[in-house]
Structures are given as structure tokens and as C-alpha cells.
Amino acid sequence: GQQLNQSPQSMFIQEGEDVSMNCTSSSIFNTWLWYKQDPGEGPVLLIALYKAGELTSNGRLTAQFGITRKDSFLNISASIPSDVGIYFCAGLLNTNAGKSTFGDGTTLTVKP
Amino acid sequence: SQTIHQWPATLVQPVGSPLSLECTVEGTSNPNLYWYRQAAGRGLQLLFYSVGIGQISSEVPQNLSASRPQDRQFILSSKKLLLSDSGFYLCAWSARGPGEQFFGPGTRLTVL
């Protein structure tokens, strides 16, 4: 089946620093999604990307849908303590009953 | 707007006991529904998904089963819990056709 490689697995950064994480796949997707999960809660959708090359922002978050449709990245600028959590990427194909393929997540720790 | 509920929020059960976790969605019709399990600090493992009442697809062989008795109700069950069934169980929904998944708050299950 399809697999996503999400990196890095974890990040420890200082408050105010910028963060970058990415996902790559051996196969193409029609949609890329980025979620954030706070401890003990369900993941929350941050950004959805629908078109190759698309660059979308949501506040301090920016994500891009790779031109090859096999990768995506998420950047967080000027990190703050509440950015702590697990970030998941997910790829979606139109012909897969709505099932998404999820990366294993990037755990972000922000030191004040 | 759409809302997804899960209960209970936490559950501690002895090995060999039965299990029933419930998920309901409000504000939408004919959703795709999903059950995931997440081990501590790990990614999301898709257990079951459903595209309609009574239609269940299992992703991995295991000690669990799922049912969809109503359009917006998804139930995860087990006849006899194992220690390895412990984890964080997440229900999600998406609109019919390819679309983003939206997650519930999760149920923390501990099997002792």
C-alpha cells in the first residue's frame, strides 16, 4: 500500500524559531492535508492543499503541495509554546473511498 | 456546522471483558466514518471504515469489530479485550467522496 515518510520524527526548538517539516511518498496524491494533535485530543485539520504547486497559509503556518504531487512541506514561523504537539501529514486519493494515508507524525517541543 | 462526539472519554477495563465505544456525527448526512487506534507517541492506524449503514471494511485483522447501525453512528466493539488493545481510539468522518477527515476527541482505553 501507499506509505508516507514524514520527517523529522521529532524537533526541539527555542521559542521564536522557525520550523520546517515535510512528507514524501513514492506515489502521487490528489490532496495533501496537515493536522496538529494536542496531547490527549484528536487531530485538528490545519491546512488542506488541493493542487500541485499550491502554497497556502494559515496564520503563522504555510504549507505547499509539491509539483510532483509526491511531497508536501509545512513551515511554522516564529514558534510559540502552544505550537507544541504532534503534526501529521496525510495524502488523499480521489479513488480510495475517502481514506487518507497518514505519516507517522513530527513531535514538536518548544522551549520558552 | 458538523460535530463529532465520542464516548466514553476514558475507559479502564480488565482483560477478557467486552468493549463498546460509540461515535456519533451531527450536522451532516451520509458521511464516511473511520476508526483509528493510536499507541502512545505513535501514528494513526486505520482499523475500520464505513461508506454507509451496515457497510464495514476492516483494514487489519484483530480482536475488534465495528458496526454502523445508523447513518451517523459508528460503534467499535470487542467480545474479549486483550492487553494489546490498550490505546487511544479516534473516530473520524469525511464527506461522501474524497475529502478531508475530521476527528473526534478520542477515547483513552486502558486494559489491565
Side-chain angles (χ1 to χ4, degrees):
Chain A
Q2 296 165 314
Q3 287 188 329
L4 292 183
N5 295 311
Q6 185 171 351
S7 64
Q9 197 170 36
S10 60
M11 302 182 74
F12 296 83
I13 63 168
Q14 206 71 35
E15 182 177 359
E17 291 182 357
D18 296 343
V19 173
S20 184
M21 59 191 79
N22 69 83
C23 272
T24 59
S25 171
S26 58
S27 51
I28 63 172
F29 289 102
N30 301 116
T31 301
W32 282 95
L33 308 168
W34 285 94
Y35 292 84
K36 182 197 176 196
Q37 184 179 29
D38 289 328
E41 298 182 14
V44 173
L45 182 65
L46 298 173
I47 292 179
L49 302 157
Y50 303 104
K51 193 173 167 184
E54 179 181 355
L55 184 72
T56 297
S57 293
N58 177 6
R60 293 178 296 105
L61 278 60
T62 302
Q64 183 157 31
F65 191 142
I67 289 289
T68 64
R69 296 167 65 193
K70 294 182 180 181
D71 63 334
S72 178
F73 72 75
L74 174 71
N75 287 341
I76 306 173
S77 62
S79 58
I80 58 178
S82 62
D83 290 334
V84 163
I86 305 176
Y87 291 79
F88 291 100
C89 63
L92 185 62
L93 267 181
N94 291 344
T95 56
N96 211 11
K99 291 192 294 179
S100 295
T101 301
F102 282 85
D104 286 338
T106 294
T107 301
L108 179 63
T109 303
V110 180
K111 298 178 232 178
Chain B
S1 64
Q2 298 85 10
T3 314
I4 179 168
H5 303 279
Q6 286 186 246
W7 63 89
T10 60
L11 190 60
V12 180
Q13 291 285 95
V15 169
S17 64
L19 173 74
S20 181
L21 303 181
E22 190 162 343
C23 170
T24 58
V25 182
E26 295 176 357
T28 187
S29 297
N30 303 316
N32 292 332
L33 296 171
Y34 311 84
W35 277 113
Y36 291 86
R37 177 169 58 205
Q38 184 179 30
R42 304 294 297 277
L44 304 170
Q45 180 187 32
L46 180 62
L47 302 176
F48 301 95
Y49 71 95
S50 171
V51 298
I53 296 174
Q55 300 178 62
I56 309 294
S57 295
S58 174
E59 288 294 296
V60 293
Q62 61 209 311
N63 184 41
L64 302 168
S65 62
S67 62
R68 184 169 177 175
Q70 300 180 44
D71 181 46
R72 289 170 287 178
Q73 184 184 31
F74 207 19
I75 297 172
L76 185 69
S77 304
S78 174
K79 291 181 180 176
K80 287 186 177 182
L81 283 169
L82 307 172
L83 286 174
S84 57
D85 291 325
S86 293
F88 192 48
Y89 288 82
L90 288 158
C91 181
W93 75 273
S94 68
R96 189 54 61 88
E100 307 91 339
Q101 291 181 26
F102 299 93
F103 287 84
T107 294
R108 173 79 57 197
L109 172 66
T110 304
V111 183
L112 301 174

